[in-house]
Amino acid sequence: PLPQPTGGVITPYQTAAIVGNHTFTGTVVGGFEGVNFVSASGDTFTSTSTTLWYMDNCYFAQSSSDNLFNFSGANSYLSFIDCSFGATNVMNTSTTNVTMKNCTFPQHGICNISDGEIICTNCYEIGELACTGCDLHVFNCSFYEGIGTMQCISGTATGIIQNCVFLLCPVGIANTISATVINC
C-alpha cells in the first residue's frame, strides 16, 4: 500500500489551520491527518493531473460558493475518513474516484461528480450527490437538503443506495438514477 504522510496532530475544530488555495501540478500522491484547511474564495484545491490523496480527520472550510475540491485528472482517487466539509460546494470532479467514510456535511454540501465512482459510508447530512455517468455506492448515509429545491441524489448513476435517510428533500432520488435502492 502507498504510505500515508501526516500533516499534523490537531483535531478538526481547533483554531490552527492552513489558509489559502492550493493548485496541484503533475502527479500528486499524499495525505493529511488532523489538519484544518480554510479558504475565503476560489477553489480550495485544484488539480488537472492524476491525484491520489488520503485525508483522515480533516476539516475543510470554504466561505464563498466556490468548490473545496475541483479535480479533473484522469484516474484520480480521493479518500476521506472522519472528515468534515464546511462548504456549500464540496467537490466538482470528473474521472475521479471518491471514497468518504464517517464524514459530516454541516452546510449540507453538494458533491458533483462525473465519470467516476463514489462510495459513501456512514456520512451525515449530505446536501446532494450529483453523479453523472457514475458508479454510486451509498450505505447508511443521511441526506439533508433543507432549501427545498435540490434532489438529494441526482444525475445518471448506477450502483447501490442502501439504508439511507432523506430529510427535507423535495426529491430523494431522481428518477434518472438507475441504482438499486434498498431499505431507504
Side-chain angles (χ1 to χ4, degrees), residues 108 126-127 143-152 167-170:
H108 318 298
I126 303 167
F143 291 81
Y144 180 89
E145 195 271 305
I147 298 170
T149 58
M150 295 188 304
Q151 301 172 20
C152 288
L167 303 169
L168 297 176
C169 298

Side-chain angles (χ1 to χ4, degrees), residues 9-164:
V9 292
I10 61 175
T11 59
Y13 296 107
Q14 291 178 337
T15 57
I18 296 175
V19 178
N21 302 25
H22 315 280
T23 300
F24 300 131
T25 58
T27 300
V28 176
V29 177
F32 292 95
E33 181 178 356
V35 177
N36 297 343
F37 294 94
V38 178
S39 178
S41 66
D43 295 335
T44 307
F45 296 96
T46 305
S47 178
T48 57
S49 56
T50 301
T51 303
L52 307 171
W53 217 24
Y54 303 89
M55 301 287 128
D56 185 9
N57 194 32
C58 292
Y59 176 69
F60 304 93
Q62 171 62 272
S63 56
S64 72
S65 61
D66 297 307
N67 296 292
L68 287 172
F69 302 93
N70 191 350
F71 285 17
S72 61
N75 302 313
S76 290
Y77 176 76
L78 303 174
S79 173
F80 302 97
I81 298 173
D82 298 318
C83 292
S84 183
F85 304 101
T88 304
N89 295 308
V90 174
M91 65 183 66
N92 184 26
T93 67
S94 61
T95 65
T96 300
N97 297 324
V98 178
T99 299
M100 292 185 279
K101 183 176 181 182
N102 303 328
C103 293
T104 61
F105 295 76
Q107 291 183 340
H108 318 298
I110 300 169
C111 297
N112 187 359
I113 300 169
S114 62
D115 301 320
E117 177 183 49
I118 184 164
I119 301 170
C120 287
T121 307
N122 300 327
C123 292
Y124 181 68
E125 290 194 350
I126 303 167
E128 180 177 7
L129 289 179
C131 300
T132 303
C134 294
D135 191 14
L136 179 66
H137 304 278
V138 183
F139 305 100
N140 306 317
C141 293
S142 72
F143 291 81
Y144 180 89
E145 195 271 305
I147 298 170
T149 58
M150 295 188 304
Q151 301 172 20
C152 288
I153 299 178
S154 65
T156 56
T158 59
I160 298 173
I161 302 166
Q162 185 173 5
N163 298 330
C164 293

